[in-house]
Amino acid sequence: MDYLELTIGAVLVNNIVLSKFLGICPFLGVSKRLATALGMSGAVVFVMTLASFITSLVTKYLLNIDLGALGIGEGTVKLDFLQVLLFILVIAALVQLIEIAMQKLSPALYQALGIYLPLITTNCAVLGSATMNFNAGRGVLASTLFGLFSGVGFALALLLFASLRERLELADTPAAFKGTPIALITAGILAMAFVGFSGLC
Amino acid sequence: MYIMIITAAVMMALLGLALGMIIGGVARLFRVETDPRIELVTELLPGANCGGCGKAGCSDFAKSVVSGENPPSRCPVSGAEQVAAIARALGIDAGQSFPMKAVVRCGGDTRQSTRLATYNGVIDCAAASLVAGGPKGCAYGCLGMGSCAHVCPFGAIEIVNNLAIIHAEICVGCGKCVTACPRGVIKLVPADATVHVYCNSPQKGVAKKQVCKVGCIGCRKCERALPDKFKVTGFLAEVNYSSAPTAEEAGAVGCPAGCLLEEQRHLEIETHDPDWSPDK
């Protein structure tokens, strides 16, 4: 039951874009066409899952160092203040690694995701989901699930918005609202619509 | 307190070192060899990314040249020297190159042709031709709204008197305008040809004369004078570009309709000669 709450909550109720307002940059930047939005969504789901997994490991093993176990003293050292720094370092290195390996192992996947991967290395939505995991004190499995479904939530919001924007291109908008203004208004209305899920869990 | 600082510093240093080494190792393990010749050919290409070769851009074309899919001469923008340079760099045959240029086969500017109606819509040839076939009297002539000029990556097309004029010295023959024109008025011809028939209408001579003063009337005067250089199909004369006539030969024909013109003369008429008419 907890996991159901976690996953549906991450996709709909606490949608990372539309209720947490993280990752607004790619949300507005790559939502002009559905095809590019698809590529971006794939990359975000991929990176966010892996980043949540790896940062939960970092939280577990690197932020609480047991000096006694290492045989160099006694007691544990809490390094919570290093959280953001460590997360950025680890996520950036991870994405770099994946990119290099993917280019060799799966050129097709690299073609599809390749250009979006470096863009979202330290995207605030990716870092945000890692920090939220940390603050909620989630374990490795729960963190990874949360990362995956936050990514799915991001993809849902981005794809919805990209489809809306493709329609808006053809709509008869007043001159003053053409382009970005009407897109921002649409994003606001979309966010309001997502408030409707708030009673769900 | 000191323990914490030291632990943090040591941990970060070790982690940074480890990550750096892992990335370095993986980069070496999974290195993708890219052909250095692709880079070389890309540099030798004009870099206009016009797409005239049918590829997505110059670097895409370079890839296909290196793989042997296309000869270097497929690049319509590169001159013979550039093509030869690429062929030399790769040690392959340059392939035969026929430099082309585009010609708007219509002389019906505002002075010579009639209009069916006033068009107030979007200034775009494709949009205009959707409305009852376009505002021009002649259903085959240049609409003059500059759809071709917009797509030309080289700025070689000018709209004068509601007629598209291609400046041959700027045109590289990439063919973008050919696909942009909804009426198919523009045609690619060999770059060294200087004489063209500035009419595209297959209609009967009488019908053409009602809407345009310079339409080809299909009198066959040119074909009779130089049968190997001109061909009249129906009511429309065409230049045989495989043995293109010279400017003198075309002048000697004395086209009564005023559509067989030398390129520079056509440009002059449109830009500098407001009183020209085919009757004079």
Side-chain angles (χ1 to χ4, degrees):
Chain A
M1 201 58 214
D2 272 357
Y3 286 124
L4 195 65
E5 193 185 315
L6 190 71
T7 50
I8 291 181
V11 177
L12 295 175
V13 185
N14 297 314
N15 187 290
I16 196 145
V17 182
L18 296 172
S19 23
K20 301 264 190 235
F21 305 112
L22 291 169
I24 297 293
C25 166
F27 182 65
L28 292 173
V30 278
S31 56
K32 282 216 175 98
R33 282 176 50 233
L34 195 57
T36 52
L38 260 173
M40 187 70 182
S41 304
V44 168
V45 173
F46 192 67
V47 170
M48 222 181 237
T49 314
L50 278 167
S52 296
F53 173 67
I54 219 91
T55 51
S56 65
L57 287 182
V58 166
T59 311
K60 198 166 173 190
Y61 295 109
L62 290 181
L63 291 183
N64 296 301
I65 292 179
D66 187 358
L67 293 179
L70 291 171
I72 46 171
E74 51 194 59
T76 49
V77 182
K78 283 191 81 68
L79 297 172
D80 287 359
F81 61 90
L82 277 178
Q83 184 217 118
V84 173
L85 198 62
L86 258 182
F87 283 2
I88 290 178
L89 180 72
V90 170
I91 295 171
L94 173 81
V95 174
Q96 188 75 45
L97 268 180
I98 294 168
E99 207 193 342
I100 294 168
M102 196 191 273
Q103 198 175 3
K104 176 84 174 181
L105 298 176
S106 171
L109 195 61
Y110 179 76
Q111 281 279 324
L113 301 183
I115 46 169
Y116 300 108
L117 277 181
L119 275 178
I120 48 163
T121 303
T122 44
N123 180 277
C124 60
V126 177
L127 187 66
S129 66
T131 314
M132 278 185 247
N133 281 331
F134 177 81
N135 290 340
R138 293 194 184 103
V140 177
L141 179 63
S143 290
T144 313
L145 263 181
F146 181 77
L148 170 64
F149 282 92
S150 289
V152 172
F154 179 91
L156 176 72
L158 187 64
L159 294 181
L160 278 176
F161 191 50
S163 316
L164 283 170
R165 276 185 93 169
E166 279 196 350
R167 282 290 193 89
L168 278 178
E169 287 282 297
L170 301 170
D172 187 17
T173 28
F177 289 107
K178 277 215 165 68
T180 314
I182 194 75
L184 288 172
I185 292 171
T186 314
I189 296 172
L190 198 58
M192 278 200 276
F194 266 69
V195 173
F197 290 116
S198 59
L200 211 59
C201 59
Chain B
M1 183 65 196
Y2 290 117
I3 293 281
M4 183 181 267
I5 294 172
I6 291 165
T7 325
V10 168
M11 194 264 289
M12 284 300 278
L14 285 179
L15 187 70
L17 196 68
L19 287 175
M21 281 168 74
I22 293 172
I23 290 179
V26 169
R28 185 165 293 183
L29 189 67
F30 289 117
R31 195 168 51 164
V32 177
E33 294 283 346
T34 48
D35 199 328
R37 293 179 299 171
I38 294 173
E39 192 87 0
L40 184 73
V41 175
T42 313
E43 267 169 40
L44 288 168
L45 285 168
N49 290 320
C50 67
C53 54
K55 289 288 171 184
C58 286
S59 60
D60 204 25
F61 178 68
K63 225 178 270 177
S64 78
V65 169
V66 170
S67 69
E69 187 189 333
N70 277 321
S73 56
R74 272 296 298 278
C75 174
V77 185
S78 294
E81 288 157 42
Q82 281 165 296
V83 168
I86 296 168
R88 255 201 316 280
L90 295 177
I92 57 167
D93 184 27
Q96 273 200 312
S97 169
F98 297 104
M100 304 292 268
K101 68 180 172 189
V103 174
V104 178
R105 293 172 301 158
C106 179
D109 59 18
T110 35
R111 300 164 300 177
Q112 317 297 353
S113 60
T114 60
R115 316 212 110 219
L116 269 180
T118 311
Y119 174 72
N120 285 324
V122 184
I123 304 299
D124 176 82
C125 299
S129 64
L130 283 176
V131 185
K136 198 165 184 148
C138 172
Y140 301 89
C142 171
L143 287 162
M145 297 189 183
S147 290
C148 50
H150 283 303
V151 297
C152 180
F154 304 95
I157 306 180
E158 188 186 359
I159 306 294
V160 190
N161 306 324
N162 231 337
L163 180 70
I165 308 279
I166 297 181
H167 290 271
E169 66 277 13
I170 310 174
C171 178
V172 299
C174 71
K176 283 211 152 179
C177 49
V178 177
T179 40
C181 180
R183 294 191 156 183
V185 184
I186 308 176
K187 193 183 168 187
L188 284 183
V189 301
D192 50 5
T194 54
V195 176
H196 312 288
V197 174
Y198 288 96
C199 183
N200 180 45
S201 172
Q203 282 186 302
K204 285 189 178 172
V206 186
K208 273 192 241 180
K209 271 289 163 202
Q210 282 169 354
V211 293
C212 182
K213 287 185 219 159
V214 291
C216 174
I217 50 173
C219 66
R220 293 174 190 270
K221 200 171 174 187
C222 50
E223 195 184 43
R224 255 177 278 139
L226 297 160
D228 54 333
K229 311 223 159 171
F230 296 99
K231 189 174 183 319
V232 181
T233 324
F235 289 87
L236 183 61
E238 270 175 79
V239 175
N240 178 8
Y241 285 107
S242 52
S243 68
T246 61
E248 290 80 43
E249 285 172 335
V253 166
C255 173
C259 61
L260 176 61
L261 289 168
E262 200 269 325
E263 205 169 71
Q264 286 306 316
R265 180 75 192 117
H266 174 62
L267 195 65
E268 222 169 81
I269 289 167
E270 296 303 337
T271 52
H272 293 107
D273 206 345
D275 303 323
W276 183 82
S277 105
D279 310 325
K280 282 188 198 166

